[in-house]
Amino acid sequence: SVTQGILAHSKQFWQDDKRAYWKYTGAYWQVIFLGQFSADGRDPRIANGVHGLLSHRKWVSKGGLQCLTANLLTAFRRLGFGAHPVVREETEVLAERILNDQGIKVGGMSYSFLSHCHMALPKLFFRFSEVPIEERSPAVKDAIELITQALIAQEVFIYLPGSRKAWQ
């Protein structure tokens, strides 16, 4: 019922490119929600929009937004687009960036006692851990290790319900 509610408004959020990033209402967030609710990515109302996002790559940012990138890449995979060349390429770029920065560097953190953002790490962890083991590049494997160590060191934990053994 949730995915049907989202899809009832699909024409509106796919056509409004200027509002794609608007929190919880724009196209990016709708794709993230559709992925989280395991929608069928073969549905033309989803597939056509996802193909548009993958071909234009306006959601890719070289200077930040690792959270958004990780969430969208995870959603694309969950919607059945994990083998798409853009998803593979941007996953690799994200892993290399995390390794190069030794975490997530954010300009606003210059006013903080912390040198890196830790809030996005679980999102990145989900992204990289959902890449099948046999498809993980050295950068993805190393990013998983770096993120794991950072989560433990910063005591950032999430609850894993017992019924979600695949997450473990």
Side-chain angles (χ1 to χ4, degrees), residues 36-108:
Q36 289 173 340
F37 288 107
S38 301
D40 183 355
R42 295 172 297 184
D43 183 314
R45 296 171 293 178
I46 298 171
N48 294 335
V50 169
H51 282 297
L53 293 177
L54 291 172
S55 65
H56 292 101
R57 292 195 210 194
K58 291 180 181 178
W59 48 273
V60 175
S61 173
K62 304 300 181 215
L65 300 177
Q66 291 97 327
C67 301
L68 174 66
T69 302
N71 280 332
L72 281 170
L73 290 169
T74 301
F76 294 149
R77 177 166 203 80
R78 290 176 179 172
L79 293 169
F81 295 88
H84 193 284
V86 170
V87 174
R88 288 177 180 243
E89 178 184 337
E90 293 301 336
T91 297
E92 192 68 19
V93 167
L94 187 59
E96 290 171 1
R97 185 171 167 196
I98 296 303
L99 293 171
N100 184 56
D101 292 344
Q102 289 297 292
I104 300 173
K105 288 187 179 178
V106 178

Side-chain angles (χ1 to χ4, degrees), residues 11 24 26 29 33-35 44 48 63 70 72 84-85 88 90 93 99 106 118 124 133 137 144 146 149 163:
K11 284 186 182 178
Y24 311 120
W29 283 94
F33 294 142
L34 289 167
N48 294 335
L72 281 170
H84 193 284
R88 288 177 180 243
E90 293 301 336
V93 167
L99 293 171
V106 178
H118 301 290
L124 291 158
I133 292 171
S137 69
I144 290 171
L146 183 130
Q149 294 306 317
S163 63

